[in-house]
Amino acid sequence: MQSTIVMTGASRGIGRAAAERILRAAPDVHLLAVARGSSGARLVAELGSGGYAVSHVEADLGSLESVRSAAAEIRDRLDRGELPPLRGFVGNAGMQYTNALTEGPERFECTFAINVLANHLFVRLLQDRFAAPARIVITASDTHFGDFRHNLGMVPGPAWQSPDVLARTGAFRKPRTTVAGRTAYSTSKLAAIYLVHEYARRLPAGIDAVAFNPGFVPGTDLARNAGPASRFAVRRILPLMTLTPFATSRRAAGRCLADVVLGATEAPTGAYVDRGRVARSSDESYAPQRERELWDAAERLTSPHASGSGRAGQAGPPWTQTSTRRTTTPRPPRRR
């Protein structure tokens, strides 16, 4: 069955490995990569060399206006019949900064903008173009647990606050420090799970939303904004941990992500998939009131960029009104 899958973060690391596996496992898929600058054209040339259908749209995920423009282009291409039906969105791109003060063009803190708001804007602007059955997959992280068992003490746990506070710079103690930057990252990944729970409640039947945890994957470019010593450790030393049970290789994590996207890993909407199986996320991640508050804030913060998503003179999908609400609420799986 021919289909389009839109994917962010496909240029490197887990995303690149997942993109390669998706194309090999499902040759009828048209993979549309959302990429920044020249990386999109390069990715198309490399992945498309095997005869696969690959294209790209350019976007800076730190800019909601850039995300809006990319989503509008995708909608137009779908409407013109240039792309097969849209059946997947993979919000895999993520960023971690060495502080909690990095600000984007709309004055949002960049970790929150990229890891939370950009995904939400894509989902909402593409929502009425999905053809059921469709699956939305948002990459989460072990760091949202905030304990030694899940991140070996390398990243502080999340420090939840009002979403309006989290969306701005300086939300955490000593915001100029690496600790604050890493706290912003773990908190953004908790937020991603909250939104997946809300998508499961609000999106129409046939459009499922799943959070995917790749585990600890050393050697990616997630910490590319860190200092030289940290980058060296992440790229050269920590990858040795993939020889132990404490870490996952990029190829293995990419394979797991691809299987979730393609439905080879079965998961109900609202589920948290830990590598290759449905699992329970942290106790803190099941919080309906926080989830509703985050949804409301994400709607409000991204709404200025929702208009003009279609062709000239056409409105985008309804923004102030949500889709028919599902009656079921995501529930954590029982502990084994």
Side-chain angles (χ1 to χ4, degrees):
M1 179 172 59
Q2 288 192 329
S3 60
T4 296
I5 294 176
V6 175
M7 185 175 187
T8 70
S11 300
R12 53 173 71 89
I14 299 169
R16 176 59 182 265
E20 292 172 352
R21 181 173 176 85
I22 288 170
L23 292 170
R24 289 196 303 268
D28 287 340
V29 162
H30 184 118
L31 185 68
L32 198 164
V34 179
R36 186 175 181 177
S38 62
S39 61
R42 183 169 60 251
L43 184 67
V44 169
E46 293 170 357
L47 293 180
S49 61
Y52 301 114
V54 187
S55 63
H56 79 284
V57 294
E58 185 173 344
D60 174 3
L61 298 181
S63 164
L64 294 185
E65 183 56 25
S66 181
V67 171
R68 184 210 61 78
S69 177
E73 181 177 343
I74 295 169
R75 289 166 59 91
D76 283 347
R77 290 180 63 185
L78 287 165
D79 293 347
R80 291 195 299 266
E82 296 176 8
L83 296 170
L86 177 63
R87 299 192 188 275
F89 172 77
V90 189
N92 176 66
M95 184 61 74
Q96 179 178 304
Y97 290 89
T98 56
N99 58 63
L101 294 173
T102 306
E103 193 174 69
E106 288 91 15
R107 306 196 69 179
F108 295 121
E109 192 275 322
C110 280
T111 312
F112 196 85
I114 294 170
N115 298 357
V116 182
L117 296 180
N119 285 332
H120 185 69
L121 188 55
F122 264 124
V123 168
R124 293 293 273 141
L125 291 180
L126 297 178
Q127 175 183 321
D128 63 345
R129 294 303 193 270
F130 281 107
R135 176 170 278 192
I136 295 164
V137 180
I138 306 296
T139 299
S141 169
D142 264 337
T143 61
H144 88 277
F145 281 90
D147 57 18
F148 185 86
R149 172 189 168 194
H150 288 90
N151 61 39
L152 304 179
M154 291 184 288
V155 179
W160 191 256
Q161 303 179 65
S162 162
D164 290 287
V165 173
L166 296 174
R168 304 298 178 178
T169 57
F172 305 100
R173 292 182 63 252
K174 299 181 179 179
R176 297 184 183 277
T177 65
T178 299
V179 170
R182 291 175 178 171
T183 303
Y185 176 79
S186 63
T187 305
S188 74
K189 292 302 183 178
L190 177 62
I193 298 173
Y194 286 156
L195 281 181
V196 164
H197 291 168
E198 279 297 297
Y199 296 151
R201 295 186 184 102
R202 295 173 181 267
L203 291 175
I207 306 176
D208 293 344
V210 176
F212 169 72
N213 170 42
F216 172 49
V217 186
T220 68
D221 282 341
L222 177 64
R224 55 186 175 272
N225 288 314
S230 295
R231 291 200 305 270
F232 177 81
V234 167
R235 294 176 180 175
R236 302 298 182 183
I237 299 175
L238 292 181
L240 297 176
M241 292 185 66
T242 58
L243 302 175
T244 75
F246 298 105
T248 310
S249 70
R250 282 176 289 179
R251 186 167 297 278
R255 181 178 65 249
C256 290
L257 174 55
D259 288 348
V260 174
V261 173
L262 295 174
T265 298
E266 295 184 4
T269 188
Y272 177 81
V273 177
D274 182 9
R275 283 151 281 200
R277 64 183 182 87
V278 174
R280 180 186 172 91
S281 50
S282 70
D283 291 343
E284 187 179 6
S285 69
Y286 300 96
Q289 182 175 347
R290 288 183 180 181
E291 292 160 9
R292 288 191 295 271
E293 290 174 350
L294 178 59
W295 170 275
D296 290 342
E299 292 280 270
R300 178 166 29 81
L301 296 173
T302 58
S303 62
H305 307 278
S307 60
S309 57
R311 294 191 185 98
Q314 290 182 333
W319 196 260
T320 59
Q321 296 180 352
T322 60
S323 302
T324 302
R325 194 176 179 90
R326 298 188 182 185
T327 57
T328 56
T329 296
R331 293 182 179 179
R334 294 180 179 178
R335 294 190 183 277
R336 296 181 177 179

